[in-house]
Amino acid sequence: MDQLQDTLNKIVQKNIPLILYYAKTNPIINFIKNYHNSVVIDTDINQSGTLQGKILVDAWNSNKEKLDRNKDNIIQYVMLKGPSNSPETIGRTKYAISTINESGIKTQELLSIPCNWEEECARTSMESSLLTLDGKIEAIISNNDAMAIGAIKTLQKYGYNKSDNSRNIPVIGIDGLPEAQELINQGIMTGTVVQDSRAHANAIYTIGMNLISGNTPLNGTNYKFDESGVTINMPYHEYKPQKQ
Protein backbone atom coordinates (compact mmCIF):
# COMPACT_ATOMS: atom_id res chain seq x y z
CA MET A 1 0.00 0.00 0.00
CA ASP A 2 2.95 2.35 0.69
CA GLN A 3 4.19 1.99 -2.90
CA LEU A 4 0.69 2.62 -4.22
CA GLN A 5 0.31 5.68 -2.00
CA ASP A 6 3.61 7.05 -3.24
CA THR A 7 2.46 6.64 -6.86
CA LEU A 8 -0.88 8.29 -6.13
CA ASN A 9 0.85 11.24 -4.48
CA LYS A 10 2.97 11.79 -7.59
CA ILE A 11 -0.16 11.76 -9.75
CA VAL A 12 -1.79 14.40 -7.56
CA GLN A 13 1.30 16.61 -7.69
CA LYS A 14 1.13 16.67 -11.48
CA ASN A 15 -2.70 16.90 -11.54
CA ILE A 16 -3.00 13.91 -13.87
CA PRO A 17 -6.52 12.55 -14.53
CA LEU A 18 -6.86 9.20 -12.78
CA ILE A 19 -9.20 6.24 -13.19
CA LEU A 20 -8.67 3.41 -10.74
CA TYR A 21 -9.94 -0.05 -11.58
CA TYR A 22 -9.57 -1.30 -8.06
CA ALA A 23 -11.66 -3.07 -5.42
CA LYS A 24 -13.06 -0.46 -3.07
CA THR A 25 -11.12 0.01 0.15
CA ASN A 26 -11.49 2.84 2.64
CA PRO A 27 -7.99 4.27 1.97
CA ILE A 28 -8.65 4.34 -1.80
CA ILE A 29 -12.10 5.90 -1.43
CA ASN A 30 -10.80 8.56 0.96
CA PHE A 31 -7.97 9.39 -1.43
CA ILE A 32 -10.29 9.73 -4.43
CA LYS A 33 -12.72 11.92 -2.50
CA ASN A 34 -9.92 14.39 -1.91
CA TYR A 35 -8.67 14.40 -5.49
CA HIS A 36 -11.23 15.95 -7.84
CA ASN A 37 -9.55 14.67 -11.02
CA SER A 38 -10.22 10.98 -10.40
CA VAL A 39 -12.82 8.23 -10.20
CA VAL A 40 -13.02 4.53 -9.32
CA ILE A 41 -14.57 2.05 -11.77
CA ASP A 42 -15.44 -1.17 -9.99
CA THR A 43 -17.79 -4.11 -10.38
CA ASP A 44 -21.00 -4.78 -8.49
CA ILE A 45 -19.63 -7.54 -6.28
CA ASN A 46 -22.92 -8.23 -4.53
CA GLN A 47 -24.72 -8.55 -7.84
CA SER A 48 -22.29 -11.23 -8.98
CA GLY A 49 -23.28 -13.36 -5.98
CA THR A 50 -26.94 -12.61 -6.51
CA LEU A 51 -26.79 -13.80 -10.12
CA GLN A 52 -24.97 -16.97 -9.05
CA GLY A 53 -27.78 -17.71 -6.65
CA LYS A 54 -30.37 -17.06 -9.35
CA ILE A 55 -28.66 -19.49 -11.75
CA LEU A 56 -28.76 -22.24 -9.12
CA VAL A 57 -32.37 -21.46 -8.20
CA ASP A 58 -33.40 -21.79 -11.85
CA ALA A 59 -31.50 -25.07 -12.23
CA TRP A 60 -32.97 -26.49 -9.02
CA ASN A 61 -36.54 -25.52 -9.83
CA SER A 62 -36.37 -26.91 -13.35
CA ASN A 63 -34.78 -30.23 -12.38
CA LYS A 64 -35.44 -30.69 -8.67
CA GLU A 65 -36.52 -34.32 -8.95
CA LYS A 66 -33.05 -35.25 -10.15
CA LEU A 67 -30.93 -32.74 -8.21
CA ASP A 68 -32.50 -33.19 -4.76
CA ARG A 69 -30.72 -36.48 -4.15
CA ASN A 70 -32.01 -37.12 -0.62
CA LYS A 71 -35.47 -35.61 -1.24
CA ASP A 72 -35.31 -33.26 1.76
CA ASN A 73 -36.09 -30.03 -0.16
CA ILE A 74 -32.72 -28.58 0.91
CA ILE A 75 -29.72 -27.82 -1.31
CA GLN A 76 -26.64 -29.40 0.27
CA TYR A 77 -23.70 -27.49 -1.20
CA VAL A 78 -19.94 -27.01 -1.15
CA MET A 79 -18.63 -23.43 -1.31
CA LEU A 80 -15.26 -22.80 -3.00
CA LYS A 81 -13.95 -19.49 -1.72
CA GLY A 82 -11.33 -16.89 -2.56
CA PRO A 83 -9.11 -15.24 0.08
CA SER A 84 -10.99 -14.83 3.36
CA ASN A 85 -10.41 -11.06 3.58
CA SER A 86 -11.32 -10.34 -0.05
CA PRO A 87 -14.43 -8.18 -0.62
CA GLU A 88 -15.24 -10.41 -3.61
CA THR A 89 -15.16 -13.54 -1.46
CA ILE A 90 -17.36 -12.00 1.21
CA GLY A 91 -19.92 -10.45 -1.15
CA ARG A 92 -20.17 -13.35 -3.58
CA THR A 93 -20.54 -15.92 -0.83
CA LYS A 94 -23.13 -13.96 1.13
CA TYR A 95 -25.37 -12.94 -1.74
CA ALA A 96 -25.30 -16.26 -3.57
CA ILE A 97 -26.76 -18.00 -0.52
CA SER A 98 -29.13 -15.22 0.51
CA THR A 99 -30.60 -15.17 -3.01
CA ILE A 100 -31.27 -18.90 -2.88
CA ASN A 101 -32.87 -18.63 0.56
CA GLU A 102 -34.98 -15.62 -0.41
CA SER A 103 -36.40 -17.65 -3.30
CA GLY A 104 -37.85 -20.05 -0.74
CA ILE A 105 -35.18 -22.76 -1.02
CA LYS A 106 -33.36 -23.89 2.11
CA THR A 107 -29.63 -24.55 2.02
CA GLN A 108 -27.11 -26.52 4.03
CA GLU A 109 -23.38 -25.93 3.70
CA LEU A 110 -21.53 -29.24 3.74
CA LEU A 111 -18.10 -27.72 3.34
CA SER A 112 -16.42 -24.35 2.81
CA ILE A 113 -13.05 -24.58 1.06
CA PRO A 114 -10.70 -21.56 0.86
CA CYS A 115 -8.75 -21.94 -2.38
CA ASN A 116 -7.61 -18.36 -3.11
CA TRP A 117 -9.04 -18.40 -6.67
CA GLU A 118 -6.78 -21.36 -7.65
CA GLU A 119 -7.93 -24.19 -9.92
CA GLU A 120 -5.44 -26.76 -8.63
CA CYS A 121 -6.44 -26.18 -5.02
CA ALA A 122 -10.09 -26.71 -5.90
CA ARG A 123 -9.27 -29.87 -7.86
CA THR A 124 -7.31 -31.51 -5.04
CA SER A 125 -9.65 -30.29 -2.30
CA MET A 126 -12.70 -31.65 -4.09
CA GLU A 127 -10.96 -34.97 -4.58
CA SER A 128 -10.61 -35.47 -0.83
CA SER A 129 -14.10 -34.07 -0.21
CA LEU A 130 -15.76 -36.50 -2.63
CA LEU A 131 -14.35 -39.40 -0.65
CA THR A 132 -16.27 -38.30 2.45
CA LEU A 133 -19.25 -36.55 0.87
CA ASP A 134 -19.92 -38.68 -2.20
CA GLY A 135 -23.64 -38.84 -2.82
CA LYS A 136 -24.39 -35.94 -0.49
CA ILE A 137 -23.24 -32.94 -2.58
CA GLU A 138 -26.10 -31.37 -4.54
CA ALA A 139 -24.35 -28.22 -5.76
CA ILE A 140 -20.93 -26.58 -5.92
CA ILE A 141 -20.85 -22.79 -5.71
CA SER A 142 -17.50 -21.23 -6.58
CA ASN A 143 -16.38 -17.64 -6.05
CA ASN A 144 -14.69 -17.77 -9.47
CA ASP A 145 -14.50 -19.89 -12.62
CA ALA A 146 -10.98 -21.22 -12.10
CA MET A 147 -11.97 -23.01 -8.90
CA ALA A 148 -15.18 -24.21 -10.55
CA ILE A 149 -13.15 -25.73 -13.39
CA GLY A 150 -10.88 -27.45 -10.87
CA ALA A 151 -13.91 -28.94 -9.14
CA ILE A 152 -15.33 -30.17 -12.45
CA LYS A 153 -12.08 -31.94 -13.33
CA THR A 154 -12.38 -33.94 -10.11
CA LEU A 155 -16.07 -34.62 -10.63
CA GLN A 156 -15.36 -35.97 -14.10
CA LYS A 157 -12.58 -38.18 -12.75
CA TYR A 158 -15.20 -39.90 -10.60
CA GLY A 159 -17.84 -40.16 -13.30
CA TYR A 160 -19.83 -36.98 -12.71
CA ASN A 161 -20.60 -34.09 -15.08
CA LYS A 162 -19.97 -35.85 -18.35
CA SER A 163 -21.53 -34.49 -21.50
CA ASP A 164 -24.22 -37.21 -21.39
CA ASN A 165 -25.57 -35.48 -18.22
CA SER A 166 -26.38 -38.79 -16.52
CA ARG A 167 -24.77 -37.89 -13.17
CA ASN A 168 -24.61 -34.13 -12.85
CA ILE A 169 -23.85 -31.89 -9.88
CA PRO A 170 -24.59 -28.21 -10.63
CA VAL A 171 -21.41 -26.10 -10.62
CA ILE A 172 -21.68 -22.31 -10.81
CA GLY A 173 -18.76 -19.89 -11.16
CA ILE A 174 -18.01 -16.23 -11.81
CA ASP A 175 -15.80 -14.54 -14.47
CA GLY A 176 -16.95 -15.96 -17.78
CA LEU A 177 -13.64 -17.63 -18.63
CA PRO A 178 -13.64 -19.11 -22.16
CA GLU A 179 -13.08 -22.61 -20.74
CA ALA A 180 -16.04 -22.18 -18.39
CA GLN A 181 -18.25 -20.93 -21.21
CA GLU A 182 -17.35 -23.98 -23.29
CA LEU A 183 -18.16 -26.32 -20.39
CA ILE A 184 -21.52 -24.59 -20.01
CA ASN A 185 -22.25 -24.95 -23.73
CA GLN A 186 -21.50 -28.67 -23.43
CA GLY A 187 -23.89 -29.07 -20.49
CA ILE A 188 -21.05 -29.92 -18.10
CA MET A 189 -21.08 -26.72 -16.01
CA THR A 190 -24.35 -25.09 -14.98
CA GLY A 191 -23.50 -21.40 -15.36
CA THR A 192 -21.24 -18.46 -14.71
CA VAL A 193 -21.51 -14.73 -14.22
CA VAL A 194 -19.69 -12.45 -16.65
CA GLN A 195 -18.56 -8.87 -16.92
CA ASP A 196 -19.27 -7.00 -20.13
CA SER A 197 -15.76 -6.05 -21.27
CA ARG A 198 -17.08 -3.72 -23.97
CA ALA A 199 -19.19 -1.83 -21.43
CA HIS A 200 -16.17 -1.51 -19.15
CA ALA A 201 -14.03 -0.19 -21.99
CA ASN A 202 -16.71 2.34 -22.94
CA ALA A 203 -16.96 3.54 -19.35
CA ILE A 204 -13.20 3.98 -19.05
CA TYR A 205 -13.04 5.85 -22.36
CA THR A 206 -16.03 8.12 -21.73
CA ILE A 207 -15.15 9.01 -18.17
CA GLY A 208 -11.49 9.39 -19.08
CA MET A 209 -12.32 11.85 -21.85
CA ASN A 210 -14.42 13.87 -19.43
CA LEU A 211 -11.56 14.06 -16.95
CA ILE A 212 -9.06 15.04 -19.64
CA SER A 213 -11.43 17.72 -20.95
CA GLY A 214 -11.95 19.21 -17.50
CA ASN A 215 -15.59 18.12 -17.29
CA THR A 216 -17.16 16.35 -14.33
CA PRO A 217 -16.55 12.58 -14.62
CA LEU A 218 -20.14 11.63 -15.45
CA ASN A 219 -20.92 14.52 -17.77
CA GLY A 220 -23.16 13.37 -20.65
CA THR A 221 -23.39 9.78 -19.38
CA ASN A 222 -26.01 7.61 -17.69
CA TYR A 223 -23.56 6.33 -15.08
CA LYS A 224 -24.25 6.91 -11.40
CA PHE A 225 -21.98 6.99 -8.39
CA ASP A 226 -22.66 4.51 -5.61
CA GLU A 227 -22.87 5.43 -1.93
CA SER A 228 -19.15 6.27 -1.86
CA GLY A 229 -19.79 9.22 -4.19
CA VAL A 230 -16.74 8.43 -6.32
CA THR A 231 -17.27 4.89 -7.62
CA ILE A 232 -19.07 3.54 -10.69
CA ASN A 233 -20.13 -0.10 -10.31
CA MET A 234 -20.35 -1.91 -13.64
CA PRO A 235 -22.94 -4.69 -13.83
CA TYR A 236 -22.56 -8.43 -14.29
CA HIS A 237 -24.69 -10.73 -16.46
CA GLU A 238 -25.62 -14.41 -16.39
CA TYR A 239 -23.99 -16.61 -18.98
CA LYS A 240 -26.50 -19.07 -20.38
CA PRO A 241 -25.75 -22.10 -22.57
CA GLN A 242 -25.27 -21.20 -26.21
CA LYS A 243 -26.44 -23.34 -29.11
CA GLN A 244 -23.63 -25.14 -30.87
Side-chain angles (χ1 to χ4, degrees):
M1 185 64 194
D2 290 341
Q3 185 176 4
L4 175 60
Q5 187 64 56
D6 182 57
T7 300
L8 294 175
N9 289 337
K10 291 177 180 178
I11 290 172
V12 172
Q13 291 170 7
K14 296 183 179 294
N15 196 34
I16 298 172
L18 173 66
I19 295 176
L20 281 176
Y21 191 80
Y22 195 85
K24 290 179 291 186
T25 62
N26 288 332
I28 289 296
I29 294 302
N30 290 334
F31 172 85
I32 296 297
K33 283 183 176 179
N34 292 317
Y35 181 44
H36 73 281
N37 211 13
S38 61
V39 69
V40 176
I41 297 179
D42 204 349
T43 55
D44 190 338
I45 294 170
N46 297 345
Q47 185 199 28
S48 65
T50 297
L51 291 176
Q52 264 197 319
K54 183 179 181 299
I55 291 170
L56 185 52
V57 167
D58 291 344
W60 181 263
N61 287 337
S62 64
N63 201 16
K64 181 181 176 183
E65 184 64 28
K66 186 175 181 180
L67 298 181
D68 189 9
R69 296 173 182 275
N70 59 3
K71 312 304 178 187
D72 65 350
N73 296 314
I74 300 172
I75 298 178
Q76 276 80 30
Y77 70 92
V78 171
M79 180 69 73
L80 298 172
K81 303 173 77 171
S84 60
N85 61 347
S86 165
E88 286 85 356
T89 298
I90 296 167
R92 291 172 179 180
T93 301
K94 175 183 176 180
Y95 283 92
I97 300 307
S98 65
T99 298
I100 297 168
N101 295 153
E102 288 168 7
S103 77
I105 300 172
K106 294 181 180 179
T107 55
Q108 178 188 358
E109 184 176 271
L110 298 177
L111 194 61
S112 175
I113 305 175
C115 269
N116 299 316
W117 313 126
E118 297 171 5
E119 177 183 322
E120 182 62 17
C121 171
R123 187 189 66 77
T124 57
S125 296
M126 283 305 306
E127 182 145 5
S128 60
S129 299
L130 276 179
L131 296 176
T132 56
L133 296 173
D134 189 25
K136 298 179 180 178
I137 301 172
E138 295 175 338
I140 297 173
I141 305 170
S142 176
N143 285 165
N144 78 339
D145 278 347
M147 295 185 295
I149 291 166
I152 287 172
K153 288 181 178 179
T154 292
L155 290 175
Q156 291 185 320
K157 178 179 177 180
Y158 290 94
Y160 292 94
N161 293 53
K162 302 288 188 175
S163 55
D164 61 10
N165 214 22
S166 58
R167 299 174 70 202
N168 189 278
I169 295 175
V171 181
I172 300 96
I174 294 175
D175 283 339
L177 294 182
E179 185 177 353
Q181 293 185 24
E182 182 59 28
L183 290 170
I184 292 167
N185 294 340
Q186 294 172 11
I188 294 170
M189 182 170 164
T190 305
T192 187
V193 179
V194 302
Q195 299 175 27
D196 186 335
S197 58
R198 184 179 296 274
H200 280 251
N202 287 338
I204 292 170
Y205 174 79
T206 304
I207 293 172
M209 291 303 295
N210 277 334
L211 291 174
I212 291 171
S213 302
N215 295 321
T216 58
L218 308 189
N219 182 59
T221 76
N222 294 320
Y223 304 122
K224 297 183 184 300
F225 286 126
D226 68 4
E227 69 280 357
S228 72
V230 293
T231 302
I232 307 300
N233 289 318
M234 301 300 295
Y236 284 89
H237 305 280
E238 296 176 44
Y239 182 83
K240 300 179 180 180
Q242 306 294 304
K243 293 182 180 181
Q244 296 294 309

